[in-house]
Amino acid sequence: MGRYEEILDAAGRLFSERGYHATSVREIARQLDLQGGSLYAHIDSKEEVLFQIVERAAHRFSEVVQNLPEGDARVRVCAFVRGHLRVIVEELPYATVFFHEWKFLSEPYKDRVRRLRDAYETALKELIEEGVREGVFRVEDPDLAAKFVLGALNWVYQWYRPGGRLGPEELARGFCPLVLGALGGGEG
Amino acid sequence: MGRYEEILDAAGRLFSERGYHATSVREIARQLDLQGGSLYAHIDSKEEVLFQIVERAAHRFSEVVQNLPEGDARVRVCAFVRGHLRVIVEELPYATVFFHEWKFLSEPYKDRVRRLRDAYETALKELIEEGVREGVFRVEDPDLAAKFVLGALNWVYQWYRPGGRLGPEELARGFCPLVLGALGGGEG
Protein backbone atom coordinates (compact mmCIF):
# COMPACT_ATOMS: atom_id res chain seq x y z
CA MET A 1 0.00 0.00 0.00
CA GLY A 2 1.39 3.41 -0.99
CA ARG A 3 1.79 6.25 1.47
CA TYR A 4 -1.23 8.05 0.08
CA GLU A 5 -3.45 5.00 0.57
CA GLU A 6 -2.19 4.66 4.15
CA ILE A 7 -3.14 8.26 4.79
CA LEU A 8 -6.63 7.73 3.38
CA ASP A 9 -7.09 4.57 5.44
CA ALA A 10 -6.00 6.21 8.68
CA ALA A 11 -8.17 9.24 7.97
CA GLY A 12 -11.11 7.02 7.01
CA ARG A 13 -10.94 5.23 10.34
CA LEU A 14 -10.73 8.46 12.31
CA PHE A 15 -13.45 10.26 10.33
CA SER A 16 -15.77 7.28 10.69
CA GLU A 17 -15.20 6.98 14.44
CA ARG A 18 -15.16 10.65 15.48
CA GLY A 19 -16.45 12.57 12.51
CA TYR A 20 -14.64 14.78 10.02
CA HIS A 21 -14.79 18.00 12.00
CA ALA A 22 -13.53 16.37 15.17
CA THR A 23 -10.45 14.90 13.48
CA SER A 24 -7.35 17.04 13.03
CA VAL A 25 -4.60 16.61 10.45
CA ARG A 26 -2.26 16.21 13.40
CA GLU A 27 -4.19 13.14 14.58
CA ILE A 28 -4.12 11.59 11.12
CA ALA A 29 -0.37 12.15 11.03
CA ARG A 30 0.05 10.62 14.49
CA GLN A 31 -1.58 7.38 13.28
CA LEU A 32 1.19 7.14 10.72
CA ASP A 33 4.02 8.22 13.02
CA LEU A 34 4.43 11.44 11.06
CA GLN A 35 4.63 15.03 12.19
CA GLY A 36 1.47 17.01 11.44
CA GLY A 37 3.31 19.35 9.09
CA SER A 38 5.00 16.60 7.10
CA LEU A 39 1.62 15.16 6.11
CA TYR A 40 1.28 18.21 3.87
CA ALA A 41 4.04 16.80 1.68
CA HIS A 42 1.41 14.23 0.66
CA ILE A 43 -1.91 16.09 0.82
CA ASP A 44 -3.13 19.60 0.16
CA SER A 45 -5.83 19.74 2.81
CA LYS A 46 -8.00 17.70 5.14
CA GLU A 47 -10.88 18.30 2.78
CA GLU A 48 -8.96 16.75 -0.11
CA VAL A 49 -8.54 13.62 2.02
CA LEU A 50 -12.27 13.53 2.76
CA PHE A 51 -13.07 13.94 -0.92
CA GLN A 52 -10.70 11.16 -1.95
CA ILE A 53 -12.24 8.77 0.59
CA VAL A 54 -15.78 9.62 -0.49
CA GLU A 55 -14.86 9.31 -4.16
CA ARG A 56 -13.25 5.91 -3.66
CA ALA A 57 -16.33 4.64 -1.87
CA ALA A 58 -18.54 6.06 -4.65
CA HIS A 59 -16.34 4.32 -7.21
CA ARG A 60 -16.69 0.96 -5.42
CA PHE A 61 -20.47 1.37 -5.31
CA SER A 62 -20.67 2.37 -8.97
CA GLU A 63 -18.77 -0.79 -9.94
CA VAL A 64 -21.68 -2.73 -8.47
CA VAL A 65 -24.18 -1.38 -11.00
CA GLN A 66 -21.67 -1.62 -13.85
CA ASN A 67 -21.14 -5.33 -13.22
CA LEU A 68 -24.66 -6.66 -12.85
CA PRO A 69 -25.18 -10.05 -14.51
CA GLU A 70 -27.55 -10.71 -17.38
CA GLY A 71 -30.90 -12.06 -16.35
CA ASP A 72 -34.34 -10.90 -15.29
CA ALA A 73 -34.71 -7.98 -12.91
CA ARG A 74 -34.95 -10.28 -9.85
CA VAL A 75 -31.54 -11.77 -10.59
CA ARG A 76 -30.10 -8.33 -11.20
CA VAL A 77 -31.61 -6.81 -8.06
CA CYS A 78 -30.24 -9.63 -5.91
CA ALA A 79 -26.81 -9.14 -7.47
CA PHE A 80 -27.13 -5.45 -6.67
CA VAL A 81 -28.03 -6.26 -3.05
CA ARG A 82 -25.07 -8.63 -2.72
CA GLY A 83 -22.61 -6.22 -4.33
CA HIS A 84 -23.80 -3.20 -2.39
CA LEU A 85 -23.63 -5.05 0.93
CA ARG A 86 -20.18 -6.34 0.07
CA VAL A 87 -18.87 -2.79 -0.38
CA ILE A 88 -20.33 -1.73 2.98
CA VAL A 89 -18.95 -4.76 4.79
CA GLU A 90 -15.51 -4.71 3.14
CA GLU A 91 -15.08 -0.95 3.32
CA LEU A 92 -16.91 -0.18 6.55
CA PRO A 93 -14.96 3.00 7.47
CA TYR A 94 -15.05 4.35 3.90
CA ALA A 95 -18.76 3.55 3.57
CA THR A 96 -19.45 5.24 6.91
CA VAL A 97 -17.62 8.37 5.77
CA PHE A 98 -19.43 8.22 2.43
CA PHE A 99 -22.81 8.06 4.16
CA HIS A 100 -22.18 10.66 6.87
CA GLU A 101 -19.34 12.98 6.29
CA TRP A 102 -19.72 13.85 2.62
CA LYS A 103 -22.09 16.66 3.61
CA PHE A 104 -19.15 18.51 5.13
CA LEU A 105 -17.48 18.87 1.74
CA SER A 106 -17.68 22.33 0.24
CA GLU A 107 -18.52 23.05 -3.39
CA PRO A 108 -17.60 21.96 -6.02
CA TYR A 109 -16.64 18.69 -4.26
CA LYS A 110 -20.06 18.39 -2.69
CA ASP A 111 -21.88 18.81 -5.95
CA ARG A 112 -19.73 16.15 -7.57
CA VAL A 113 -20.58 13.68 -4.80
CA ARG A 114 -24.25 14.60 -4.98
CA ARG A 115 -24.23 13.69 -8.66
CA LEU A 116 -22.54 10.34 -8.01
CA ARG A 117 -25.12 9.52 -5.34
CA ASP A 118 -28.01 10.58 -7.57
CA ALA A 119 -26.70 8.54 -10.51
CA TYR A 120 -26.41 5.47 -8.30
CA GLU A 121 -29.93 5.84 -6.93
CA THR A 122 -31.22 6.40 -10.48
CA ALA A 123 -29.54 3.18 -11.63
CA LEU A 124 -31.44 1.23 -8.97
CA LYS A 125 -34.69 3.02 -9.81
CA GLU A 126 -34.25 2.07 -13.49
CA LEU A 127 -33.57 -1.52 -12.52
CA ILE A 128 -36.84 -1.52 -10.57
CA GLU A 129 -38.69 0.01 -13.54
CA GLU A 130 -37.18 -2.70 -15.76
CA GLY A 131 -38.69 -5.30 -13.44
CA VAL A 132 -42.07 -3.59 -13.57
CA ARG A 133 -41.96 -3.63 -17.39
CA GLU A 134 -40.91 -7.29 -17.36
CA GLY A 135 -43.88 -8.00 -15.10
CA VAL A 136 -41.77 -9.42 -12.26
CA PHE A 137 -42.17 -6.42 -9.90
CA ARG A 138 -45.23 -4.48 -8.80
CA VAL A 139 -44.20 -1.06 -7.55
CA GLU A 140 -46.30 2.10 -7.29
CA ASP A 141 -43.47 4.59 -6.99
CA PRO A 142 -40.08 3.32 -8.25
CA ASP A 143 -38.28 6.38 -6.94
CA LEU A 144 -39.58 5.83 -3.42
CA ALA A 145 -38.93 2.09 -3.69
CA ALA A 146 -35.29 2.76 -4.67
CA LYS A 147 -34.87 5.04 -1.64
CA PHE A 148 -36.49 2.39 0.57
CA VAL A 149 -34.19 -0.39 -0.64
CA LEU A 150 -31.04 1.74 -0.46
CA GLY A 151 -31.96 2.83 3.07
CA ALA A 152 -32.46 -0.75 4.22
CA LEU A 153 -29.09 -1.74 2.75
CA ASN A 154 -27.14 1.33 3.81
CA TRP A 155 -28.29 1.11 7.42
CA VAL A 156 -26.26 -2.08 7.74
CA TYR A 157 -23.19 0.08 8.38
CA GLN A 158 -24.82 1.04 11.72
CA TRP A 159 -24.95 -2.45 13.18
CA TYR A 160 -22.69 -4.69 11.10
CA ARG A 161 -19.54 -5.80 12.88
CA PRO A 162 -17.05 -8.30 11.43
CA GLY A 163 -17.34 -11.61 13.23
CA GLY A 164 -21.01 -11.10 14.14
CA ARG A 165 -23.86 -13.56 13.71
CA LEU A 166 -24.10 -13.03 9.95
CA GLY A 167 -21.21 -12.89 7.48
CA PRO A 168 -21.55 -10.86 4.29
CA GLU A 169 -22.87 -13.81 2.26
CA GLU A 170 -25.53 -14.77 4.83
CA LEU A 171 -26.50 -11.14 5.03
CA ALA A 172 -27.02 -10.96 1.26
CA ARG A 173 -28.96 -14.24 1.29
CA GLY A 174 -31.20 -12.89 4.05
CA PHE A 175 -31.73 -9.50 2.43
CA CYS A 176 -32.44 -10.63 -1.13
CA PRO A 177 -35.92 -12.10 -0.41
CA LEU A 178 -36.80 -9.07 1.75
CA VAL A 179 -35.95 -6.72 -1.13
CA LEU A 180 -37.75 -8.83 -3.74
CA GLY A 181 -40.78 -9.01 -1.45
CA ALA A 182 -40.81 -5.23 -1.02
CA LEU A 183 -40.78 -4.88 -4.81
CA GLY A 184 -43.68 -7.29 -5.17
CA GLY A 185 -41.42 -9.88 -6.75
CA GLY A 186 -41.12 -12.44 -3.98
CA GLU A 187 -42.16 -16.09 -4.20
CA GLY A 188 -45.80 -17.01 -3.77
CA MET B 1 -41.19 26.75 25.45
CA GLY B 2 -38.99 26.82 28.57
CA ARG B 3 -35.37 27.90 28.52
CA TYR B 4 -34.19 24.32 28.83
CA GLU B 5 -36.23 23.23 25.79
CA GLU B 6 -34.83 26.15 23.81
CA ILE B 7 -31.33 25.03 24.68
CA LEU B 8 -32.07 21.47 23.58
CA ASP B 9 -33.60 22.69 20.33
CA ALA B 10 -30.68 24.95 19.48
CA ALA B 11 -28.20 22.22 20.38
CA GLY B 12 -30.18 19.63 18.41
CA ARG B 13 -29.99 21.78 15.27
CA LEU B 14 -26.26 22.37 15.66
CA PHE B 15 -25.41 18.75 16.54
CA SER B 16 -27.45 17.49 13.58
CA GLU B 17 -25.83 19.92 11.13
CA ARG B 18 -22.20 19.83 12.27
CA GLY B 19 -21.92 16.90 14.63
CA TYR B 20 -21.61 16.81 18.41
CA HIS B 21 -17.84 17.11 18.58
CA ALA B 22 -17.72 20.05 16.22
CA THR B 23 -20.26 22.06 18.25
CA SER B 24 -19.09 24.08 21.25
CA VAL B 25 -21.15 25.18 24.24
CA ARG B 26 -20.27 28.72 23.21
CA GLU B 27 -21.98 28.20 19.84
CA ILE B 28 -25.10 26.80 21.48
CA ALA B 29 -25.17 29.85 23.77
CA ARG B 30 -24.73 32.21 20.82
CA GLN B 31 -27.86 30.80 19.18
CA LEU B 32 -29.78 31.90 22.27
CA ASP B 33 -28.02 35.24 22.68
CA LEU B 34 -26.39 34.04 25.87
CA GLN B 35 -22.79 34.15 27.02
CA GLY B 36 -21.09 30.75 26.89
CA GLY B 37 -20.58 30.71 30.64
CA SER B 38 -24.16 31.61 31.53
CA LEU B 39 -25.44 28.51 29.72
CA TYR B 40 -23.98 26.56 32.64
CA ALA B 41 -26.67 28.03 34.87
CA HIS B 42 -29.03 25.74 32.93
CA ILE B 43 -26.93 22.71 32.02
CA ASP B 44 -24.14 20.69 33.62
CA SER B 45 -22.29 19.74 30.45
CA LYS B 46 -22.53 19.45 26.68
CA GLU B 47 -22.87 15.71 27.14
CA GLU B 48 -25.93 16.15 29.34
CA VAL B 49 -27.53 18.13 26.51
CA LEU B 50 -26.73 15.37 24.02
CA PHE B 51 -28.17 12.76 26.36
CA GLN B 52 -31.39 14.74 26.89
CA ILE B 53 -31.89 15.14 23.14
CA VAL B 54 -31.25 11.46 22.50
CA GLU B 55 -33.54 10.43 25.33
CA ARG B 56 -36.36 12.64 24.13
CA ALA B 57 -36.10 11.17 20.65
CA ALA B 58 -36.05 7.66 22.14
CA HIS B 59 -39.12 8.53 24.17
CA ARG B 60 -41.01 9.74 21.07
CA PHE B 61 -40.10 6.52 19.26
CA SER B 62 -41.13 4.33 22.18
CA GLU B 63 -44.56 6.00 22.25
CA VAL B 64 -45.05 4.63 18.75
CA VAL B 65 -44.88 1.01 19.89
CA GLN B 66 -46.89 1.74 23.04
CA ASN B 67 -49.78 3.16 21.01
CA LEU B 68 -50.25 0.60 18.26
CA PRO B 69 -53.90 -0.07 17.42
CA GLU B 70 -55.62 -3.41 17.85
CA GLY B 71 -55.80 -5.49 14.71
CA ASP B 72 -53.82 -8.07 12.81
CA ALA B 73 -50.08 -7.69 12.42
CA ARG B 74 -50.40 -5.97 9.05
CA VAL B 75 -52.48 -3.17 10.55
CA ARG B 76 -50.10 -2.88 13.46
CA VAL B 77 -46.98 -2.84 11.27
CA CYS B 78 -48.43 -0.11 9.06
CA ALA B 79 -49.28 1.93 12.17
CA PHE B 80 -45.70 1.41 13.31
CA VAL B 81 -44.40 2.61 9.93
CA ARG B 82 -46.62 5.70 10.02
CA GLY B 83 -45.74 6.55 13.64
CA HIS B 84 -42.02 5.97 13.21
CA LEU B 85 -41.88 8.12 10.06
CA ARG B 86 -43.87 10.84 11.79
CA VAL B 87 -41.29 11.08 14.57
CA ILE B 88 -38.46 11.35 12.02
CA VAL B 89 -40.26 13.97 9.96
CA GLU B 90 -41.52 16.03 12.90
CA GLU B 91 -38.31 15.83 14.89
CA LEU B 92 -35.75 15.78 12.10
CA PRO B 93 -32.84 17.32 14.07
CA TYR B 94 -33.54 15.20 17.18
CA ALA B 95 -33.90 12.05 15.08
CA THR B 96 -30.64 12.84 13.27
CA VAL B 97 -28.84 13.27 16.58
CA PHE B 98 -30.46 10.09 17.88
CA PHE B 99 -29.25 8.13 14.86
CA HIS B 100 -25.73 9.57 14.62
CA GLU B 101 -24.44 11.27 17.65
CA TRP B 102 -25.56 8.94 20.44
CA LYS B 103 -22.38 6.94 19.92
CA PHE B 104 -20.39 9.87 21.32
CA LEU B 105 -22.06 9.50 24.72
CA SER B 106 -19.89 7.98 27.39
CA GLU B 107 -21.03 5.32 29.84
CA PRO B 108 -23.44 4.96 31.58
CA TYR B 109 -25.43 7.24 29.21
CA LYS B 110 -24.42 5.19 26.21
CA ASP B 111 -25.51 1.93 27.74
CA ARG B 112 -28.88 3.40 28.64
CA VAL B 113 -29.44 4.52 25.04
CA ARG B 114 -28.26 1.16 23.73
CA ARG B 115 -30.96 -0.53 25.81
CA LEU B 116 -33.66 1.83 24.56
CA ARG B 117 -32.63 1.14 20.97
CA ASP B 118 -32.50 -2.61 21.54
CA ALA B 119 -35.91 -2.64 23.23
CA TYR B 120 -37.42 -0.74 20.32
CA GLU B 121 -35.93 -3.09 17.74
CA THR B 122 -37.12 -6.06 19.80
CA ALA B 123 -40.66 -4.66 19.84
CA LEU B 124 -40.67 -4.58 16.04
CA LYS B 125 -39.17 -8.07 15.86
CA GLU B 126 -41.94 -9.37 18.13
CA LEU B 127 -44.55 -7.68 16.01
CA ILE B 128 -43.12 -9.47 12.97
CA GLU B 129 -43.12 -12.78 14.84
CA GLU B 130 -46.74 -12.16 15.79
CA GLY B 131 -47.57 -11.80 12.11
CA VAL B 132 -45.74 -15.02 11.30
CA ARG B 133 -47.76 -16.84 13.98
CA GLU B 134 -50.99 -15.30 12.65
CA GLY B 135 -50.04 -16.56 9.20
CA VAL B 136 -50.03 -13.08 7.62
CA PHE B 137 -46.24 -12.76 7.27
CA ARG B 138 -43.62 -15.14 5.91
CA VAL B 139 -40.21 -14.26 7.30
CA GLU B 140 -37.13 -16.45 7.63
CA ASP B 141 -35.25 -14.35 10.14
CA PRO B 142 -37.41 -11.89 12.12
CA ASP B 143 -34.37 -10.26 13.70
CA LEU B 144 -32.85 -9.48 10.31
CA ALA B 145 -36.25 -8.41 8.95
CA ALA B 146 -36.65 -5.94 11.84
CA LYS B 147 -33.22 -4.46 11.11
CA PHE B 148 -34.10 -4.25 7.41
CA VAL B 149 -37.37 -2.41 8.04
CA LEU B 150 -35.89 -0.04 10.61
CA GLY B 151 -33.02 0.76 8.25
CA ALA B 152 -35.39 1.55 5.39
CA LEU B 153 -37.43 3.84 7.65
CA ASN B 154 -34.55 5.49 9.46
CA TRP B 155 -32.73 6.36 6.26
CA VAL B 156 -35.52 8.81 5.49
CA TYR B 157 -33.76 11.34 7.71
CA GLN B 158 -31.02 11.48 5.06
CA TRP B 159 -33.18 12.72 2.22
CA TYR B 160 -36.44 13.97 3.69
CA ARG B 161 -36.88 17.73 3.53
CA PRO B 162 -40.07 19.56 4.56
CA GLY B 163 -41.90 20.80 1.50
CA GLY B 164 -40.49 18.07 -0.77
CA ARG B 165 -42.43 15.86 -3.18
CA LEU B 166 -43.90 13.68 -0.43
CA GLY B 167 -45.45 14.85 2.83
CA PRO B 168 -45.34 12.61 5.91
CA GLU B 169 -48.70 10.98 5.12
CA GLU B 170 -47.84 10.20 1.49
CA LEU B 171 -44.55 8.84 2.69
CA ALA B 172 -46.27 6.47 5.12
CA ARG B 173 -48.78 5.42 2.44
CA GLY B 174 -45.92 4.68 0.06
CA PHE B 175 -43.81 2.82 2.61
CA CYS B 176 -46.52 0.63 4.13
CA PRO B 177 -46.93 -1.70 1.09
CA LEU B 178 -43.14 -1.90 0.67
CA VAL B 179 -42.76 -3.04 4.28
CA LEU B 180 -45.66 -5.49 4.09
CA GLY B 181 -44.22 -6.89 0.85
CA ALA B 182 -40.80 -7.36 2.44
CA LEU B 183 -42.48 -9.30 5.26
CA GLY B 184 -44.31 -11.52 2.76
CA GLY B 185 -47.63 -9.95 3.75
CA GLY B 186 -48.40 -7.84 0.70
CA GLU B 187 -51.44 -8.18 -1.55
CA GLY B 188 -51.56 -10.90 -4.17
Side-chain angles (χ1 to χ4, degrees):
Chain A
M1 187 155 60
R3 200 45 151 171
Y4 195 66
E5 266 61 40
E6 285 176 1
I7 293 168
L8 296 188
D9 277 11
R13 280 194 305 277
L14 290 172
F15 293 168
S16 70
E17 285 163 16
R18 306 182 194 178
Y20 173 69
H21 280 311
T23 302
S24 67
V25 166
R26 188 187 297 258
E27 287 166 309
I28 300 169
R30 198 180 299 139
Q31 296 280 316
L32 301 160
D33 290 321
L34 289 172
Q35 299 294 319
S38 67
L39 201 63
Y40 287 107
H42 303 278
I43 64 166
D44 284 337
S45 66
K46 194 172 79 161
E47 188 176 21
E48 176 209 323
V49 173
L50 175 59
F51 177 68
Q52 291 296 336
I53 291 171
V54 168
E55 206 183 36
R56 274 158 211 236
H59 178 70
R60 284 289 318 267
F61 282 119
S62 74
E63 283 178 335
V64 172
V65 290
Q66 281 155 21
N67 294 303
L68 294 179
E70 299 294 311
D72 82 16
R74 285 172 298 202
V75 172
R76 291 159 66 75
V77 160
C78 280
F80 175 87
V81 168
R82 174 167 291 104
H84 189 87
L85 290 172
R86 188 180 297 135
V87 177
I88 294 175
V89 164
E90 288 179 359
E91 310 278 1
L92 205 48
Y94 276 30
T96 303
V97 173
F98 179 70
F99 292 148
H100 270 196
E101 309 296 323
W102 77 283
K103 66 182 175 181
F104 298 126
L105 289 167
S106 56
E107 305 297 353
Y109 284 143
K110 195 172 180 179
D111 189 55
R112 190 155 158 193
V113 176
R114 201 181 281 117
R115 280 178 218 218
L116 290 168
R117 292 171 69 105
D118 287 353
Y120 192 69
E121 189 180 304
T122 299
L124 176 59
K125 189 189 72 159
E126 288 173 354
L127 188 49
I128 293 170
E129 289 169 336
E130 224 175 278
V132 172
R133 276 195 304 275
E134 287 172 3
V136 296
F137 295 155
R138 273 170 319 210
V139 171
E140 278 281 314
D141 183 337
D143 180 62
L144 191 66
K147 286 179 163 65
F148 177 92
V149 170
L150 275 178
L153 301 181
N154 289 346
W155 198 257
V156 166
Y157 90 91
Q158 280 245 357
W159 56 266
Y160 185 84
R161 293 299 166 262
R165 180 169 75 90
L166 299 170
E169 277 304 310
E170 288 93 1
L171 196 59
R173 266 201 295 278
F175 267 32
C176 170
L178 294 165
V179 170
L180 292 183
L183 301 177
E187 312 159 39
Chain B
M1 186 156 60
R3 201 44 152 172
Y4 194 66
E5 266 60 40
E6 286 176 0
I7 294 168
L8 296 188
D9 276 11
R13 280 195 306 275
L14 290 171
F15 293 167
S16 70
E17 285 164 15
R18 307 182 193 177
Y20 173 68
H21 280 310
T23 303
S24 67
V25 167
R26 187 187 299 257
E27 285 166 310
I28 300 169
R30 198 179 301 138
Q31 296 281 314
L32 301 160
D33 291 320
L34 288 172
Q35 299 294 320
S38 67
L39 202 62
Y40 286 107
H42 303 277
I43 64 167
D44 285 338
S45 66
K46 191 172 81 161
E47 188 175 22
E48 176 209 324
V49 173
L50 175 59
F51 177 68
Q52 291 295 338
I53 291 171
V54 168
E55 207 183 35
R56 273 157 211 237
H59 177 71
R60 285 287 319 264
F61 283 119
S62 74
E63 283 178 334
V64 173
V65 291
Q66 281 155 22
N67 293 304
L68 294 179
E70 298 295 311
D72 82 14
R74 284 172 299 200
V75 172
R76 290 159 67 75
V77 160
C78 280
F80 174 88
V81 168
R82 175 166 291 103
H84 189 86
L85 289 173
R86 189 179 297 135
V87 177
I88 295 175
V89 164
E90 288 179 0
E91 310 278 0
L92 205 48
Y94 277 29
T96 303
V97 172
F98 180 70
F99 292 147
H100 271 195
E101 309 298 322
W102 77 283
K103 66 182 176 180
F104 298 126
L105 289 167
S106 56
E107 306 296 355
Y109 285 143
K110 194 173 181 177
D111 189 54
R112 189 154 160 196
V113 176
R114 202 181 279 116
R115 280 177 217 218
L116 290 168
R117 292 170 68 105
D118 287 352
Y120 192 70
E121 189 179 304
T122 300
L124 177 59
K125 189 189 74 159
E126 289 173 354
L127 188 49
I128 293 170
E129 289 169 338
E130 224 175 280
V132 172
R133 277 196 303 275
E134 287 172 5
V136 296
F137 295 154
R138 274 168 319 210
V139 171
E140 277 282 312
D141 183 336
D143 180 62
L144 191 66
K147 286 180 164 64
F148 178 91
V149 170
L150 275 178
L153 301 182
N154 289 346
W155 198 257
V156 166
Y157 89 91
Q158 281 244 356
W159 56 267
Y160 185 83
R161 292 298 166 263
R165 180 168 73 90
L166 298 171
E169 277 303 309
E170 288 93 2
L171 196 59
R173 266 201 296 278
F175 267 32
C176 170
L178 294 165
V179 170
L180 293 183
L183 301 177
E187 312 157 40

